[in-house]
Amino acid sequence: MTELEQKLYDQVVKDHPYIVGLRRYFHMHPELARQELNTARRIEAELDEAGISHERVAESGVYAEIKGRRGGDRTIVLRSDIDALPIQETHQCDYTSTVPGVMHACGHDAHTAALIGAARILAANTDKFGGTVRLTFQAGEEIGYGARVFVNGGYLDGADRTFGAHAASNVPAGSVVLMSGPNNASVDWFKITIKGYPAHVSTPELGTDAAYIASQIVVSAQALITRRTSPMENVLIGIGKITAGDAYNIVAGHAEIEGTIRVLTPELRAQVKTQLKELAETIARMYGGEAEVTYKDFTSPLINDEAATEEACRVARSLFGADKVITSRKPSLGGDDFAEYILKVPGVYAYIGTANTARKETMAAHHDSIFDIDEDSLTVSVALYTAYAIEYLNGL
């Protein structure tokens, strides 16, 4: 650890109880995507306390800047997501959610607290770096909304690096995952609307069975994975909802299928979307019906920039030791719209270990109703946000 990193780390450790308190506040007061108004107000109050100017972005995002006093023209963008999930918390603790049916089951409360912690340290050390740190507290990650608001609003324009961090309940607390290349899948929602023609079930030849067409599409869609793409590729077509018909004894005149496509590269993403559309339309036509496929683009694949990843690895190794930095693991077919930041400006997304084997709730899957974190991981997040930003701005 360099002398500067040691000084910063000591400040992070000293501030740790405060950041734990913040994280618990956010955990107790979760808000759903695009409804994070109280969360935004608390973020703004914390930034005011640290003497950092800020502005509201759309309904509930927050943007701020911290300028170093050493000169320099580099800019790094730091991001945390702030929204919670529509889940009833079942883990009982001193900071259990007070909002029925809503909880922070993915660690965004920790992300928010950690970026505030980094902002406090950065604002107190502007004499130690040049350039500009941009802080983005992003709403609506869980619905693939907030990242594009910041990108399209110009808040990343002219920046040189982006950096974000996410809790990881399958990684031991104290460790960090920094892996170049694909880390998370793209997320595309789809709906296939099938138009048939109703008839009595005793005379099926007089109708066009939309339920039968839907079932054929559901089964055949999996062949796009097993027979139209390489077994070496990561592709998922998940179908979670099927509705059809009006009565048990009527040939279904309509049906709907809803699902998602997850892949790790832009090229394969475009290929599978095209193939699914062609498959649905062809099967419907074969049985006398029609099919319309609608897509919503929630997020692109998250692909960490190689140079940015190596920079962050150097800082993490210096801070925590080489044995705590994991550079290879299986990518996730879960998505994260920080991908849109990296598409705009080269960057890296770190995964901060939050698992403690002595506490089963810290090892629960994300989006589980008992999800919690080992709060010692907050020190890792705050230190990495802070040190990587300063080291990069100083010419790392």
Side-chain angles (χ1 to χ4, degrees):
M1 196 180 300
T2 68
E3 182 179 352
L4 174 58
E5 288 168 351
Q6 185 66 63
K7 289 181 179 179
L8 294 171
Y9 191 81
D10 290 345
Q11 293 176 44
V12 171
V13 171
K14 184 178 179 180
D15 210 30
H16 180 67
Y18 186 84
I19 301 309
V20 168
L22 265 182
R23 182 258 164 173
R24 293 185 176 192
Y25 172 84
F26 290 127
H27 194 88
M28 291 176 69
H29 302 91
E31 295 175 298
L32 296 174
R34 302 190 68 177
Q35 300 176 27
E36 312 96 327
L37 299 176
N38 177 66
T39 301
R41 285 191 290 268
R42 181 60 187 265
I43 293 166
E44 290 166 334
E46 294 296 329
L47 295 175
D48 286 338
E49 183 68 23
I52 303 168
S53 61
H54 52 80
E55 64 179 89
R56 187 69 67 92
V57 176
E59 303 95 337
S60 50
V62 179
Y63 173 81
E65 289 187 0
I66 303 171
K67 293 188 178 295
R69 289 187 278 151
R70 284 191 173 184
D73 57 1
R74 282 187 170 189
T75 297
I76 186 169
V77 181
L78 305 182
R79 176 265 207 175
S80 93
D81 39 15
I82 67 175
D83 53 327
L85 287 156
I87 296 171
Q88 178 64 47
E89 183 163 18
T90 58
H91 173 228
Q92 296 301 311
C93 58
D94 293 341
Y95 45 89
T96 298
S97 170
T98 61
V99 183
V102 182
M103 74 168 289
H104 274 291
C106 200
H108 297 191
D109 50 344
H111 307 166
T112 307
L115 188 53
I116 291 172
R120 287 162 59 89
I121 304 298
L122 289 163
N125 288 276
T126 54
D127 60 321
K128 295 180 177 62
F129 64 93
T132 303
V133 181
R134 299 179 187 174
L135 308 172
T136 59
F137 295 88
Q138 180 207 307
E141 185 278 328
E142 294 289 356
I143 61 171
Y145 163 77
R148 289 191 177 102
V149 172
F150 277 95
V151 172
N152 296 338
Y155 294 96
L156 277 68
D157 289 358
D160 304 290
R161 279 288 182 272
T162 53
F163 179 75
H166 198 292
S169 65
N170 59 354
V171 176
S175 294
V176 180
V177 178
L178 287 160
M179 182 175 73
S180 65
N183 276 246
N184 293 80
S186 57
V187 178
D188 288 294
W189 169 90
F190 65 80
K191 179 167 71 174
I192 303 173
T193 303
I194 300 157
K195 182 179 179 181
Y197 191 80
H200 194 274
V201 293
S202 64
T203 54
E205 74 279 9
L206 300 180
T208 297
D209 194 341
Y212 182 79
I213 293 170
S215 66
Q216 294 298 313
I217 292 171
V218 169
V219 172
S220 298
Q222 300 310 310
L224 298 180
I225 301 172
T226 62
R227 291 297 179 267
R228 297 295 302 277
T229 58
S230 167
M232 305 303 292
E233 299 280 7
N234 292 281
V235 183
L236 182 147
I237 300 176
I239 293 171
K241 184 178 180 182
I242 308 170
T243 58
D246 297 304
Y248 82 98
N249 61 346
I250 299 174
V251 170
H254 57 86
E256 285 188 350
I257 302 167
E258 290 186 55
T260 182
I261 296 172
R262 310 289 178 102
V263 302
L264 293 173
T265 67
E267 297 79 13
L268 191 56
R269 181 188 194 189
Q271 173 188 314
V272 175
K273 288 172 70 175
T274 298
Q275 290 175 345
L276 181 62
K277 182 176 186 296
E278 291 173 348
L279 180 143
E281 292 173 347
T282 299
I283 290 176
R285 190 163 54 248
M286 284 173 57
Y287 296 105
E290 299 176 11
E292 179 183 2
V293 182
T294 304
Y295 287 111
K296 287 184 181 179
D297 170 6
F298 283 178
T299 185
S300 303
L302 194 155
I303 303 174
N304 278 344
D305 177 77
E306 185 175 356
T309 303
E310 181 52 34
E311 292 161 0
C313 279
R314 286 166 58 188
V315 174
R317 291 185 186 111
S318 182
L319 286 171
F320 314 122
D323 62 320
K324 298 297 185 182
V325 180
I326 300 165
T327 58
S328 178
R329 72 167 184 166
K330 291 181 181 179
S332 168
L333 290 180
D336 193 297
D337 68 359
F338 185 71
E340 309 305 329
Y341 278 51
I342 297 176
L343 279 176
K344 177 70 176 180
V345 177
V348 56
Y349 203 41
Y351 281 89
I352 310 296
T354 59
N356 180 338
T357 55
R359 297 175 54 205
K360 68 176 184 179
E361 66 273 12
T362 71
M363 297 185 291
H366 291 250
H367 296 208
D368 191 306
S369 65
I370 67 166
F371 180 88
D372 202 352
I373 67 166
D374 183 328
E375 291 173 325
D376 286 346
S377 65
L378 290 166
T379 297
V380 176
S381 298
V382 177
L384 191 54
Y385 269 127
T386 306
Y388 178 48
I390 288 179
E391 297 282 24
Y392 177 77
L393 293 175
N394 285 346
L396 174 68

